[in-house]
Structure formats: C-alpha cells, structure tokens
C-alpha cells in the first residue's frame, strides 16, 4: 500500500523511514571554521517524546556541544563559552522560521574572585586547580570555579522577538575523577531543575557533562570507509536479517566514542502543550551556537577577559540531523551551512538532490558489496536523480508522517508529537525502519543507531517497502529498480541501543571519570 493512502490515525505516520537522513555520524569538527571554535561546536541533537515513566506529555530536547572530550582533559576541563549564545530553535508551523527559541547563556566565575587559595609562607595564593577537595551534592565548597547559566524563551524572531527569562541555574563541574567526585551521578542529578514556562506548564532543564552516546566507527569511516559496510553478524547487533559473510561484525570495539569520550549536554524537557501552537502536532527543530561579530585579543588577558567581543551575534554552528555537514555538504560550503538559517537552504539543495556520498561509496565498495551480497551490479549508487526520496527526508518531511501543511523546504529535525513514546525496553535501534514509529527519523532518541539507519537510506532503503505496524508499505518515493542494494543491511559495525542508556531525564549516562580510582 502507498503511504499517502494511510491515515495518521492509523499511524501510517510511522512512515517507516520518514526523515531518514543520508548521514553517517554526528557533527564533530565538521567544517574548517568550527575547528577554531570547539566550545561552540554542536555535535548531536536529540528530540523525542519523553519515555521516562510518568512523562508522556513531554518532549525532550538534548543539544550536545564540545566534541570528543577526553575524560582526563584537565585541569580546566570543558566549561561553556560565556561569550557565546547556545540555542534550541523550534518551528511549529513548517515555514522554516523559528517560533520558539530556548537560549542558554553561560557565566563562569572564580569563588571570591580568586578561586581556592592556600597560605604559602606569608602569602595567600590561588591554587592551579579548579578544586581543593571532594565535591558532593551537598557541598561545592572545595570547587574554586563556578559555572552558571540563564535560560530564556524567545517567542518569534530569535533576535527581535519577545524574550522571557525562565530562570538561573548551576552547571555541575565535569567528572574530574572518583576521588574528587565519589558519587558523580548523585551530584549531577542534584542540578536537574524544574522550569516554569509561562502559559503552558512546568518542564525540566539540565546542563552538564554526559558520556558520549553516539556510536560510530569514526576513524574507519573517515579513512575512505575502511571497512566492508555490510552487516556480517546480524545476531550480534542491529541487523535485520541474516548476516553476510565478509561483512563487518557488530562489536563495541568498533566504536570510537561510546565508552571513551564525553560531551556537554543542554537538556530541556518541555510540555507538549507549549509546542503544539498550530494544532497539527508536528514540529521542526535545530540547534545553533553564536558569537559576537567582532573579537579583539587582549594583550594583557585576565580570567574575566582574554578578548573583547562586540557587535551582533553571528551563527558559528548549526545542527539538526546527524552528519549532514560532514558527508552531504561539499567542502567549499561547509562553513556557509553552519552560518545559514533554514530559510536559506534552497541554495544548497543540489547536495540533496544529487548527493555525492553514494557515488563515493560506489567507487570504494562496488566490488566488495557485490562480493558480499553475491551480486554483479554495475553500480550500487541509487539512480533516481534527482533524489526525491532524500528531498522528502531532508527538506520537507514525509506527507502523512511529519510533513507540516504548506511546508517550506528546509533542513531540520521533524517530530510528530502524536506518535506515542516507545518504552526503553521495547525500542528498536533502527527506529521507523525497525517498525518503531517513535524513533529516528520521527525525531531522534539517544538509542537510535542513526549511522546504520542513514547508511541504508542514502543507499536507497526508502525505495523498498518498509514495515509499518508489521505491514510492508510502499512510501511512493522511488522504485526498487532505482536502488540495486537498497535493501542491504549497511552498517559501520558500531551498535547502540536504548538499553545501554538511562530511561529517565537527561537520558544520557553520567560522564566517564577522569580517573576511575578512589
């Protein structure tokens, strides 16, 4: 059956495969310019119906920044930039313009203006470290640098709209190690705060370090995809059938981030009633980070000021679907994409309609994939150019799933809030192509294996029937003949599932300690 013939009420919304993005990972150091500003580098964006027990009427947003944090990266660790503005934008009516913007503005201060001091002879001098003793949920007296943030809600244009301050909050220090922070989970959880949103209800907010949850075989992917990207052992991971001899085996050892790196999360839980302003239950969202336009280096820097900033905010980073900028946008336009607003996306549409990644994969892997699958295709790249399946996935959403009426084509994460959350223990890490309608690309949850989903979609998965409530469904976007290997189990071999993560806000696990010793 065609998707257009199935009603939302029947949950054809599942649109299994809907906003699947041709991406391979999250956005870590994805453009030349952002490598110079790591504190404002957005890495991952999650948006999903909350699946914590008792929170069914909420949507959770998680915006991650500062990629690939080494747990031992002291002594200064990973404070946020007090000169920057970190934002989560929400489009409620599909016109590619933000209607609601949640702004995080950080401030860092030394305790008593100096940090922790100690007597040395007849002098009292500041120590070189951030801490001088154990830190617990009940006491931060031994912490010399304090990080706070203000959360505001802007209605309308992000710069000229009506702004309401929602509160001031404290960011917990990063996980220095088990001796300094013997109960980091309890300490950090004490900084999960409630936040009143005028006119619609009360949510929760948390800003702090978390363990990286993005599973990806990063080194091999960027080394010309140095693996055979077909699932060789479906029983060991997220494969959707029998494994293929010669393909890669699912294994945590293939993962370069999970269990090895941390990230900084800005997590916000918002009542659905705050977001469904036009009544259709579909929202789009993306994250940004911006800095003032002008910077002058201070030749006599102090803790309070190493540079002088001034002028209007200029967007440095932009993120919604994972790894769009890394593997979809061409090298000359990567910095432009980071600076662009969704209303400007038509200028970069060629990268979607005529994507280069499938061509690169065909060059690298045609023989290997043919050998693994036992086929003899002249090309493994989809041939339905322009790629209307990816236009729907990238820029408009899927009609009947998460495409707003009168949508303006633009790249953002889209979520149909009418699809109920799937409990953690019932989630498929393949999201909608795994017949789990509440997962990627209908938003994105931390346990969705977006690398595998996206690899399959870019190679033509949406040209084949996808399961919706157990029924094979033709999305009507392209034909099987357009994608020779569109039903193959493409993978990077680095699995992730929701069972490896928390089932409560802020969902991502406590960060890896800088030292595991007590």
């Amino acid at each position: 059956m065609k998707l257009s013939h199935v009603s939302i009420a029947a949950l054809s919304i599942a649109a299994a495969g809907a906003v699947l993005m041709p991406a391979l990972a999250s956005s870590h150091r994805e453009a030349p310019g952002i490598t110079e500003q790591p504190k404002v580098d957005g890495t991952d964006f999650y948006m999903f119906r909350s699946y914590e027990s008792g929170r069914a009427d909420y949507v959770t947003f998680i915006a991650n920044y500062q990629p690939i944090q080494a747990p031992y990266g002291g002594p200064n660790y990973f404070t946020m930039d007090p000169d920057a503005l970190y934002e989560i934008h929400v489009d409620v009516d599909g016109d590619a313009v933000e209607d609601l913007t949640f702004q995080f503005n950080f401030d860092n201060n030394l305790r008593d203006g100096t940090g922790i001091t100690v007597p040395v002879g007849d002098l009292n001098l500041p120590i070189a470290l951030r801490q001088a003793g154990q830190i617990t949920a009940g006491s931060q007296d031994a912490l010399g640098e304090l990080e706070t943030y203000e959360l505001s809600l802007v209605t309308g244009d992000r710069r000229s709209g009506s702004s309401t301050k929602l509160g001031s909050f404290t960011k917990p220090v990063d996980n220095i190690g088990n001796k300094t922070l013997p109960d980091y989970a309890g300490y950090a959880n004490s900084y999960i705060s409630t936040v009143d949103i005028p006119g619609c209800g009360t949510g929760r907010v948390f800003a702090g370090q978390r363990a990286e949850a993005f599973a990806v075989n990063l080194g091999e992917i960027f080394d010309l995809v140095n693996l055979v990207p077909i699932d060789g052992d479906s029983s060991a991971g997220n494969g959707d059938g029998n494994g293929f001899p010669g393909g890669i085996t699912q294994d945590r050892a293939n993962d370069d981030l999970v269990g090895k790196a941390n990230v900084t999360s800005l997590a916000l839980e918002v009542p659905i009633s705050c977001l469904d302003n036009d009544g259709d239950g579909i929202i789009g969202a993306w994250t940004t980070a911006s800095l003032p336009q002008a910077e002058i280096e201070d030749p006599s820097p102090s803790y309070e000021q190493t540079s002088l900033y001034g002028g209007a905010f200029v967007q440095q980073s932009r993120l919604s679907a994972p790894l769009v900028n890394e593997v979809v946008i061409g090298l000359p336009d990567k910095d432009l994409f980071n600076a662009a607003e969704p209303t400007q996306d038509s200028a970069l549409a060629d990268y979607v309609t005529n994507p280069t990644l499938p061509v690169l994969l065909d060059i690298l892997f045609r023989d290997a994939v043919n050998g693994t699958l036992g086929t003899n295709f002249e090309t493994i790249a989809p041939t339905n150019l322009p790629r209307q399946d990816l236009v729907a996935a990238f820029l408009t959403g899927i009609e009947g799933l998460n495409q707003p009426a009168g949508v303006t084509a633009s790249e953002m994460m889209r979520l149909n809030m009418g699809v109920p959350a799937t409990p953690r223990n019932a989630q498929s890490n393949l999201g909608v192509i795994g017949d789990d309608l509440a997962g990627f690309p209908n938003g994105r949850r931390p346990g969705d294996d977006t690398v595998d989903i996206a690899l399959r979609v870019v190679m033509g998965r949406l040209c084949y029937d996808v399961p919706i409530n157990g029924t094979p469904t033709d999305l009507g976007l392209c034909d099987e003949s357009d994608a020779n290997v569109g039903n193959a189990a493409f993978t990077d071999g680095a699995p992730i599932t929701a069972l490896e993560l928390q089932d409560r806000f802020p969902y991502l696990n406590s960060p890896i300690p800088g030292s595991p010793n007590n």
Side-chain angles (χ1 to χ4, degrees), residues 1-178:
M1 61 180 173
K2 297 282 188 179
L3 179 64
S4 58
H5 296 161
V6 186
S7 69
I8 288 182
L11 285 184
S12 75
I13 6 182
V19 187
L20 302 173
M21 301 299 178
L24 298 179
S26 48
S27 294
H28 300 77
R29 295 171 53 82
E30 75 283 353
I34 201 62
T35 62
E36 302 175 20
Q37 302 283 358
K39 283 183 178 285
V40 293
D41 186 356
T43 69
D44 281 285
F45 179 46
Y46 303 96
M47 175 175 65
F48 53 93
R49 282 282 298 270
S50 299
Y51 49 90
E52 178 180 346
S53 178
R55 309 298 287 186
D57 294 331
Y58 293 82
V59 167
T60 295
F61 303 92
I62 305 174
N64 285 352
Y65 292 91
Q66 299 199 60
I68 317 177
Q69 296 177 14
Y72 48 81
N76 293 298
Y77 299 95
F78 303 95
T79 57
M80 301 296 275
D81 190 338
D83 295 304
L85 191 60
Y86 301 87
E87 298 174 295
I88 298 172
H89 309 281
V90 183
D91 172 18
V92 303
D93 55 14
D95 64 356
V97 177
E98 66 272 11
D99 299 292
L100 304 170
T101 296
F102 295 94
Q103 296 180 339
F104 293 76
N105 198 336
F106 288 84
D107 191 20
N108 306 333
N109 291 285
L110 296 176
R111 186 182 295 279
D112 300 322
T114 59
I116 303 297
T117 60
V118 295
V120 185
D122 58 355
L123 300 177
N124 201 45
L125 297 176
I127 66 172
L129 303 181
R130 299 184 71 194
Q131 84 283 12
Q134 284 196 338
I135 301 166
T136 66
S139 175
Q140 290 204 118
D141 292 345
L143 184 60
E145 184 178 36
L146 307 175
E147 193 169 8
T148 60
Y149 61 98
E150 288 188 355
L151 175 65
S152 299
L153 171 61
V154 178
T155 303
D157 183 89
R158 66 180 80 174
R159 298 292 174 259
S160 61
S162 175
S163 179
T164 302
K165 181 179 175 180
L166 301 181
S168 298
F169 308 94
T170 297
K171 174 182 174 287
V173 70
D174 295 343
N175 197 354
I176 297 168
N178 288 349

Side-chain angles (χ1 to χ4, degrees), residues 271-285:
I272 291 175
S273 58
C274 299
L275 304 170
D276 191 15
N277 291 0
D278 69 344
D280 71 352
I282 298 174
I283 59 174

Side-chain angles (χ1 to χ4, degrees), residues 174-370:
D174 295 343
N175 197 354
I176 297 168
N178 288 349
K179 183 177 180 180
T180 298
L181 293 141
D183 178 17
Y184 190 87
Y187 162 73
N189 286 343
S190 69
Y191 294 101
I192 297 174
S193 303
T194 59
V195 55
D196 293 326
I197 302 175
C200 63
T202 300
R204 290 183 291 181
V205 66
F206 172 84
Q209 192 180 50
R210 296 282 91 187
E212 179 65 80
F214 186 76
V216 60
N217 202 340
L218 205 59
E220 304 302 320
I221 287 291
F222 288 126
D223 185 25
L224 296 179
V225 194
N226 192 10
L227 51 90
V228 177
I230 299 290
D231 189 356
D233 183 7
S234 293
S235 64
N238 62 2
D240 54 1
N242 294 322
F244 293 93
I248 189 170
T249 296
Q250 302 285 344
D251 195 315
R252 175 60 68 221
N254 295 327
D255 195 330
D256 289 323
L257 296 181
V258 176
K260 300 174 184 177
N262 295 324
V263 72
T264 300
S265 295
L266 311 184
L268 183 64
E269 187 183 59
V270 179
I272 291 175
S273 58
C274 299
L275 304 170
D276 191 15
N277 291 0
D278 69 344
D280 71 352
I282 298 174
I283 59 174
W286 67 102
T287 71
T288 63
S290 302
L291 286 168
Q293 188 171 27
E295 176 187 7
I296 301 176
E297 294 288 341
D298 192 330
S300 300
S302 64
Y303 174 85
E304 290 77 14
Q305 179 177 292
T306 58
S307 300
L308 292 172
Y309 282 92
F313 278 106
V314 176
Q315 186 173 296
Q316 307 292 313
S317 176
R318 169 188 171 188
L319 182 67
S320 55
L323 252 178
V324 168
N325 209 348
E326 280 88 338
V327 299
V328 177
I329 304 300
L331 187 58
D333 292 317
K334 288 179 179 295
D335 291 316
L336 176 62
F337 179 84
N338 264 349
E341 297 186 16
T343 52
Q344 301 168 307
D345 285 346
S346 60
L348 300 174
D350 286 349
Y351 291 118
V352 178
T353 59
N354 296 68
T356 60
L357 179 59
V359 176
L360 180 60
L361 291 176
D362 178 61
I363 294 170
L364 294 173
F365 290 111
R366 183 193 309 158
D367 292 342
V369 170
N370 274 330

Side-chain angles (χ1 to χ4, degrees), residues 475-486:
L475 302 184
L477 297 170
C478 44
D479 297 323
E480 292 184 8
S481 60
D482 295 321
N484 287 331
V485 295

